[in-house]
Amino acid sequence: MKLTVVGIGPGNEENMTLRAVKALEEAQVIVGYQVYVDLVKDRYPGKEFLTTGMTREAQRCRMALEEAKKGKAVAMVCSGDSGVYGMAALCYELRGDSLEPEIEVVPGLTAACSGGAVLGAPLTHDFAVISLSDRLTPWEKIEARLRHAAQADFAIAIYNPKSHGRPHHLAKACDILLEILPETRLCGVVRNIGREGEQAELMSLRQLRDYDADMFCTVFIGNEMTRSIAGKLVTPRGYRDE
């Protein structure tokens, strides 16, 4: 009995690892959030698919664990990486100290990497990844993380910048960053990474504050060395100075 927690990257086949493809090929049951399952469903006919809606993460993981306990080969799909805002930790938590079913974690291409590649190379030096979703993290803690990341001059990748329930979070985050960073700080946004309608834009931090982002966007804020080269967002590490 085995549960494999699989990061599927942006969801298109070209950005899935060979390990991820193999895990889904070998699975009898594929479990996940409906949107993520739909990204892979057509490529794996003959499987049993089990889905839940948004905010049903614990239900989803329990379902996957129960199916694995029945002796089935189960794959839980996660967008991006299975351990970066994914379901891997929750599966371990819900299984507890038991060793059954076996859990294997298959990493995937997280949005910071795949979105960064679309923009150019904004994360070549130290960077922080921060989600603006306050469903599980108090907003005060998110504010502190943003402030400390800016003070430490990290490049920053921001997940979940805006939604219908929190339409002003990106603007609030930018206001915090603008207390520390110059309004001309280079930033970028990628929408629909690796999917139909993919778009990328470069802008200043001041412009980012009023940008009409959504949950399909990943936001990048450069550090003091970040610059635009031929329309690409690039953060040098300093190799040319050696």
Side-chain angles (χ1 to χ4, degrees):
M1 57 182 73
K2 183 176 180 180
L3 169 59
T4 307
V5 192
V6 183
I8 62 171
N12 58 339
E13 193 167 15
E14 293 82 1
N15 283 309
M16 284 175 60
T17 67
L18 294 176
R19 278 184 69 192
V21 171
K22 183 180 178 183
L24 295 183
E25 287 175 344
E26 294 178 349
Q28 297 168 286
V29 183
I30 295 177
V31 183
Y33 173 42
Q34 180 70 61
V35 173
Y36 303 153
V37 169
D38 286 346
L39 292 173
V40 301
K41 194 172 186 177
D42 291 343
R43 299 201 294 271
Y44 299 95
K47 309 291 185 183
E48 181 181 357
F49 296 95
L50 301 175
T51 64
T52 66
M54 188 177 291
T55 75
R56 296 290 184 268
E57 292 87 353
Q59 178 188 350
R60 197 179 311 151
C61 290
R62 289 191 181 98
M63 184 188 302
L65 289 165
E66 287 303 316
E67 291 298 310
K69 288 177 182 178
K70 296 175 184 177
K72 298 178 183 179
V74 181
M76 162 76 76
V77 293
C78 307
S79 179
D81 179 77
S82 48
V84 179
Y85 304 115
M87 295 292 99
L90 183 55
C91 286
Y92 279 117
E93 287 182 90
L94 292 175
R95 188 194 66 173
D97 290 329
S98 172
L99 297 181
E100 293 184 351
E102 176 187 355
I103 294 176
E104 179 183 1
V105 177
V106 175
L109 190 60
T110 190
C113 298
S114 54
V118 175
L119 286 172
L123 305 179
T124 305
H125 215 312
D126 299 340
F127 66 94
V129 178
I130 300 173
S131 170
L132 298 190
S133 173
D134 57 357
R135 188 170 72 86
L136 300 174
T137 305
W139 179 252
E140 293 75 17
K141 184 169 286 189
I142 295 172
E143 285 188 356
R145 289 171 176 170
L146 288 165
R147 191 167 283 110
H148 289 308
Q151 289 170 340
D153 194 36
F154 282 110
I156 305 171
I158 291 181
Y159 287 33
N160 306 313
K162 189 187 276 191
S163 71
H164 292 301
R166 39 186 179 77
H168 306 299
H169 276 30
L170 181 58
K172 290 168 65 176
C174 288
D175 286 339
I176 292 166
L177 297 175
L178 284 164
E179 296 173 9
I180 301 161
L181 304 178
E183 62 181 25
T184 55
R185 178 60 55 88
L186 281 174
C187 302
V189 178
V190 187
R191 178 181 271 111
N192 295 322
I193 299 170
R195 303 172 190 170
E196 185 178 353
E198 179 181 270
Q199 297 176 323
E201 295 183 56
L202 269 59
M203 64 198 72
S204 69
L205 180 56
R206 172 57 64 182
Q207 291 170 322
L208 177 64
R209 186 197 181 281
D210 300 317
Y211 185 81
D212 187 20
D214 57 34
M215 287 293 289
F216 298 102
C217 291
T218 305
V219 173
F220 296 80
I221 296 152
N223 70 14
E224 65 178 356
M225 299 299 293
T226 303
R227 61 182 187 265
S228 174
I229 300 178
K232 294 294 186 178
L233 194 66
V234 178
T235 301
R237 193 174 179 193
Y239 294 115
R240 287 186 61 184
D241 300 329
E242 292 179 348

